[in-house]
């Protein structure tokens, strides 16, 4: 298929950018390091991302959003309740933190904190990423009997608390903050919900 090799190189570059942002932050990730990490030809970065680092950062944020979105969707399909879904998500995040020795965090929060005030393009990418996680959680809560405005507010709180818990877990080198957040949120999510018919 025409373009397959190019698409693979583009994806490798975005995946490398994503991993390096998780480890070193956006500002601490240089383009030469990304190219080297991806094992890509030097000229390929500007071929695939002619607008440079912001374009590559945007693609990495989109990739992170899609992966976490898939985790949420898969967890929702395999769960009877919103609290159970959240438990699956938290377990996956806790495993990721432990496996990386607390070196890998959420790249979306990293980019938001570092670049949200400096780059409208990256701020928009991060806002879209967070929305892509809030929306399905909201829909799940609606399916379990929550009114739409309440579901939206709760879903926003869930994503915000989980993001914060990942940061605190990294700082403390412990998954306890994540599990504490999961316990508190499970109580909140289960109150007043009804199993969908």
């Amino acid at each position: 298929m025409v373009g397959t090799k190019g698409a693979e190189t583009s994806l490798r570059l975005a995946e490398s950018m994503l991993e390096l942002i998780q480890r070193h932050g956006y500002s601490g990730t240089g383009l030469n390091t990304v190219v080297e990490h991806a094992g890509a030809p030097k000229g390929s970065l500007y071929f695939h991302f002619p607008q440079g680092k912001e374009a590559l950062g945007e693609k990495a944020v989109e990739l992170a959003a899609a992966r976490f979105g898939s985790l949420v969707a898969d967890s929702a399909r395999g769960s009877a309740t919103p609290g159970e879904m959240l438990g699956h998500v938290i377990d996956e995040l806790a495993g990721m933190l432990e496996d990386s020795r607390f070196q890998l965090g959420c790249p979306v929060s990293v980019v938001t904190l570092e670049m949200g005030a400096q780059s409208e393009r990256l701020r928009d990418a991060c806002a879209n990423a967070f929305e892509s996680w809030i929306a399905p959680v909201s829909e799940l809560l609606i399916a379990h009997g929550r009114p739409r405005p309440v579901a939206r507010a709760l879903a926003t709180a869930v994503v915000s608390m989980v993001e914060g818990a990942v940061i605190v877990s990294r700082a403390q080198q412990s998954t306890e903050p994540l599990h504490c957040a999961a316990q508190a949120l499970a109580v909140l999510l289960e109150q007043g919900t009804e199993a969908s018919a």
Side-chain angles (χ1 to χ4, degrees):
M1 181 189 247
V2 177
T4 300
K5 188 173 181 182
E8 288 173 357
T9 301
S10 177
L11 180 60
R12 271 203 334 272
L13 288 164
E15 287 175 336
S16 289
M17 183 69 169
L18 175 59
E19 183 177 333
L20 291 167
I21 288 172
Q22 287 179 290
R23 290 187 182 279
H24 307 295
Y26 179 85
S27 299
T29 298
L31 293 181
N32 289 336
T33 307
V34 174
V35 171
E36 184 180 330
H37 186 274
K42 196 157 190 176
S44 64
L45 186 118
Y46 286 102
F47 176 79
H48 293 289
F49 299 97
Q51 294 173 312
K53 187 174 179 179
E54 281 194 14
L56 182 57
E58 180 182 41
K59 186 68 175 177
V61 166
E62 290 170 358
L63 187 58
R67 288 181 177 173
F68 188 75
S70 294
L71 170 60
V72 171
D74 291 346
S75 297
R77 276 194 294 274
S79 302
T81 66
E84 189 177 323
M85 177 275 297
L86 181 64
H88 289 307
V89 170
I90 292 292
D91 286 345
E92 286 291 323
L93 292 176
M96 177 201 74
L97 285 173
E98 289 176 331
D99 290 347
S100 73
R101 297 183 181 179
F102 298 91
Q103 296 302 303
L104 298 183
C106 176
V108 180
S109 62
V110 169
V111 174
T112 301
L113 291 169
E114 287 188 36
M115 299 301 298
Q118 298 175 46
S119 167
E120 193 69 13
R121 179 178 194 161
L122 290 173
R123 188 203 62 75
D124 284 345
C126 293
N128 291 337
F130 288 128
E131 176 58 30
S132 75
W133 304 338
I134 291 167
V137 175
S138 180
E139 291 304 315
L140 180 64
L141 290 167
I142 290 166
H144 283 267
R146 294 283 185 154
R148 186 167 292 275
V150 173
R152 172 75 189 186
L154 282 173
T156 302
V158 166
V159 171
S160 300
M161 191 180 283
V162 170
E163 283 293 304
V166 168
I167 293 169
V168 178
S169 287
R170 288 186 73 192
Q172 294 184 353
Q173 301 278 287
S174 167
T175 57
E176 185 179 2
L178 262 176
H179 293 298
C180 288
Q183 290 169 7
L185 286 168
V187 172
L188 192 62
L189 294 179
E190 300 299 342
Q191 289 174 350
T193 59
E194 301 170 1
S196 56

